[in-house]
Amino acid sequence: MIRVITYGTYDLLHYGHVRLLKRAKALGDYLIVGVTADTFDRERGKINVQQSLIERIEAVRATGLADEIIIEEYEGQKIDDIKRYNVDIFTVGSDWKGKFDYLKDYCKVIYLNRTEGVSSTELRTETRLLRLGLVGESPILNKIERESHFVNGWEICGVYSQNSSSLDNKLRKLSGYSRTFEDLLEKVDAIYLISAPREHYKFIKIALEKGKHILCESPITMEVNQWKELKKIAFRRRTILMDSIKTAYSVAYYRLLLLAKSNIIGDIVSVDATCTSLSDFSVFDTNNQNMTEWNSICSWGPTALLPIFQLLGTNYLSKNITTHLMDNQKDFDLFTKISFVYPHAVASMKVGRGVKSEGELVISGTKGYIYVPAPWWKTDYFEVRYENSSENKRYFYQLEGEGIRYELLSFLKSILQKRDFSYISDRISVSIVKVIEDYESRIDTTLI
Ligand code: CTP
């Protein structure tokens, strides 16, 4: 009996897939089909597969062509499978030509002609692309543009920037076509916003009233009342208003949260997060609102507060803010530390654009602790450590695009499915604004 094996994602099963499976089956007597697991696809950079693993398996099963279906979960698994299932022929479409020649050491390798004119990628984008506009004055916009190409469904259609010096050529050219914010809104379905934080409110209000969806660099506003007003408008207009904190979407950080919540270090008693990045104050332009308003607490506060609020909740008993301001620019904090007290835990965050420190995250529990080395906010690695160090465990997860592509994917899904797919709850979003508002009004705050 000749045993044949083939692999694929089989998302939105189409005619090309069926033709391939038929020809694969005809090569032998018994066909094994390997369907890729969601995590494996993500590691390979296929991030917006639309159907779940179960749905994809069911679709392959329904063709009646597979004698056996297996799941492909890790790189290198094909060699294992070929040995384990006693495979004689490995086959795959010609788009992979040459890529699997290394399997010739284990069985025969046959590349079958790919069917022209159909692919899952095309089917995924068959529905109209959503038009995204970029707003603000930050080099982060360049990253958003680059990362948008990894998510089928977005098309960058315009840029509105009051100062385009930090934009690369492509975006600078696009920004030339939208002289006003309203001009840009005419061309897009949604915007990514990173203006000076005090300006967020104004931009968001205009955009929401025009029915546009918004992904906004956190904090969404500087005042809780403004936040509430905007969320009400978003609800009324049925539009999405989402916080952007890319760390929330980084795979390692997300997995770490799940582990910490599943009692792996016992009860969590302390969360300590530090985020610093020294600014170049020689180019500090006091006329550039974006530069002066993205002070330490606005730039880093939302990220540093994220693990605290996600692990301990937002119902802290008290907080103490200690801040050190710039001499000639009193709105700009060079360094800020906030300590929180919870009923059964404590937390601290330290942020600085004028002070440098070790950017680590430590989550302490009654059985052990989680250590994330600097820069923890874009980590691909963390450790769970115990009293007995032989029990320590290290975890690695590839960090693609600093989390931005997953964030853009969640934003897209929220718009298309009219459901909230944000990893940052409203409660956390508004609690971040509250902390910044208190800092601004010097509530619970000591100046040093
Ligand atoms: N395939 C094919 N003809 C097509 C599309 C796919 O023969 N038009 C084959 C692939 O070569 C592979 C198998 O079907 O052997 C599964 O492919 P998969 O990657 O799941 O499908 P694609 O449509 O290529 O998906 P994507 O667009 O996401 O790359």
Side-chain angles (χ1 to χ4, degrees):
M1 179 158 88
I2 298 173
R3 296 166 73 88
V4 182
I5 198 162
T6 189
Y7 294 86
T9 306
Y10 304 103
D11 189 26
L12 308 171
L13 194 95
H14 55 68
Y15 173 64
H17 293 143
V18 176
R19 270 198 74 221
L20 182 115
L21 293 175
K22 270 189 188 153
R23 284 171 294 156
K25 174 104 176 169
L27 291 173
D29 311 298
Y30 190 82
L31 177 65
I32 304 170
V33 180
V35 181
T36 47
D38 298 331
T39 44
F40 183 58
D41 266 325
R42 239 174 276 142
E43 280 164 26
R44 305 191 301 153
K46 261 196 182 186
I47 67 163
N48 53 352
V49 171
Q50 305 227 317
Q51 292 182 297
S52 68
L53 175 61
I54 300 291
E55 287 170 319
R56 291 181 287 118
I57 289 176
E58 277 312 314
V60 170
R61 193 192 309 283
T63 65
L65 293 163
D67 294 293
E68 188 168 346
I69 298 177
I70 59 170
I71 299 171
E72 186 182 23
E73 288 174 290
Y74 57 89
E75 220 166 329
Q77 183 183 323
K78 292 185 179 75
I79 297 176
D80 268 355
D81 291 341
I82 288 168
K83 288 188 198 160
R84 184 179 310 139
Y85 297 103
N86 231 337
V87 167
D88 304 290
I89 300 174
F90 166 89
T91 186
V92 72
S94 52
D95 41 326
W96 295 99
K97 197 156 189 162
K99 184 91 192 336
F100 295 109
D101 286 357
Y102 69 90
L103 294 175
K104 285 180 183 165
D105 289 345
Y106 308 92
C107 66
K108 200 168 169 188
V109 173
I110 298 177
Y111 299 103
L112 294 169
N113 282 340
R114 187 181 161 90
T115 307
E116 294 300 317
V118 59
S119 77
S120 303
T121 306
E122 276 167 35
L123 293 175
R124 282 194 288 265
T125 49
E126 220 167 44
T127 44
R128 185 175 70 81
L129 290 176
L130 281 180
R131 300 164 305 164
L132 183 67
L134 306 178
V135 182
E137 295 76 32
S138 162
I140 289 177
L141 295 179
N142 301 320
K143 285 191 190 173
I144 301 285
E145 194 276 330
R146 282 197 294 274
E147 286 298 308
S148 69
H149 299 289
F150 289 92
V151 187
N152 301 147
W154 282 123
E155 182 187 14
I156 304 289
C157 278
V159 177
Y160 173 70
S161 187
Q162 291 167 340
N163 175 352
S164 59
S165 60
S166 53
L167 304 184
D168 61 22
N169 281 342
K170 186 172 179 187
L171 292 192
R172 215 174 281 179
K173 208 167 159 197
L174 266 181
S175 76
Y177 302 123
S178 301
R179 291 187 41 245
T180 65
F181 181 55
E182 284 75 6
D183 273 353
L184 176 81
L185 292 183
E186 293 298 315
K187 299 183 192 126
V188 300
D189 303 300
I191 60 169
Y192 177 86
L193 173 63
I194 182 167
S195 62
R198 234 174 281 277
E199 301 229 290
H200 283 172
Y201 170 74
K202 172 184 83 183
F203 284 128
I204 295 174
K205 197 167 173 183
I206 297 171
L208 286 178
E209 290 295 6
K210 295 209 179 242
K212 309 297 172 186
H213 307 281
I214 298 149
L215 177 60
C216 176
E217 187 75 14
S218 194
I220 285 184
T221 61
M222 302 292 282
E223 292 171 29
V224 170
N225 279 340
Q226 293 178 337
W227 183 95
K228 286 185 178 158
E229 183 192 341
L230 295 179
K231 282 284 175 178
K232 258 191 205 152
I233 302 175
F235 184 75
R236 174 165 51 80
R237 299 294 321 239
R238 292 170 199 268
T239 50
I240 304 291
L241 170 57
M242 238 172 88
D243 272 84
S244 167
I245 305 178
K246 54 184 184 299
T247 302
Y249 297 84
S250 117
V251 179
Y253 173 78
Y254 184 69
R255 290 296 170 89
L256 168 159
L257 272 192
L258 295 179
L259 276 179
K261 285 181 178 172
S262 55
N263 211 31
I264 192 168
I265 53 167
D267 297 333
I268 298 171
V269 177
S270 182
V271 179
D272 302 278
T274 302
C275 300
T276 69
S277 56
L278 270 191
S279 299
D280 180 0
F281 291 106
S282 65
V283 295
F284 198 76
D285 179 358
T286 48
N287 295 320
N288 182 343
Q289 203 184 350
N290 198 298
M291 216 175 241
T292 52
E293 276 196 27
W294 282 107
N295 55 8
S296 303
I297 184 120
C298 283
S299 303
W300 282 121
T303 304
L305 290 168
L306 194 66
I308 298 174
F309 288 160
Q310 287 188 312
L311 288 167
L312 299 176
T314 52
N315 291 329
Y316 50 84
L317 298 174
S318 67
K319 70 173 178 312
N320 263 302
I321 307 177
T322 312
T323 190
H324 175 50
L325 305 177
M326 204 171 181
D327 280 343
N328 54 351
Q329 185 67 38
K330 290 293 180 203
D331 287 341
F332 199 98
D333 58 328
L334 293 168
F335 176 80
T336 293
K337 175 175 178 175
I338 307 182
S339 306
F340 295 90
V341 177
Y342 286 81
H344 303 289
V346 292
S348 73
M349 60 139 251
K350 285 192 275 186
V351 293
R353 295 194 60 191
V355 168
K356 191 69 194 158
S357 184
E358 182 73 8
E360 60 190 15
L361 170 66
V362 182
I363 303 161
S364 315
T366 49
K367 292 188 198 151
Y369 69 98
I370 298 177
Y371 174 72
V372 194
W376 71 264
W377 54 91
K378 48 179 172 182
T379 191
D380 53 1
Y381 159 73
F382 60 90
E383 279 186 45
V384 180
R385 296 178 176 170
Y386 297 100
E387 186 70 21
N388 177 356
S389 58
S390 66
E391 293 173 15
N392 290 0
K393 267 193 167 171
R394 295 161 174 226
Y395 294 82
F396 294 88
Y397 299 94
Q398 211 169 317
L399 176 75
E400 290 117 347
E402 296 175 35
I404 293 174
R405 65 186 70 164
Y406 299 113
E407 184 173 78
L408 288 174
L409 184 61
S410 292
F411 187 38
L412 185 82
K413 273 172 73 178
S414 301
I415 296 171
L416 294 178
Q417 298 185 28
K418 298 186 173 54
R419 262 178 60 201
D420 186 3
F421 284 95
S422 172
Y423 287 15
I424 301 156
S425 66
D426 272 356
R427 187 182 269 273
I428 289 179
S429 172
V430 71
S431 300
I432 289 172
V433 173
K434 168 81 175 128
V435 168
I436 291 177
E437 180 181 277
D438 285 355
Y439 162 86
E440 288 278 313
S441 344
R442 305 291 183 245
I443 292 172
D444 302 329
T445 301
T446 308
L447 304 181
I448 54 165

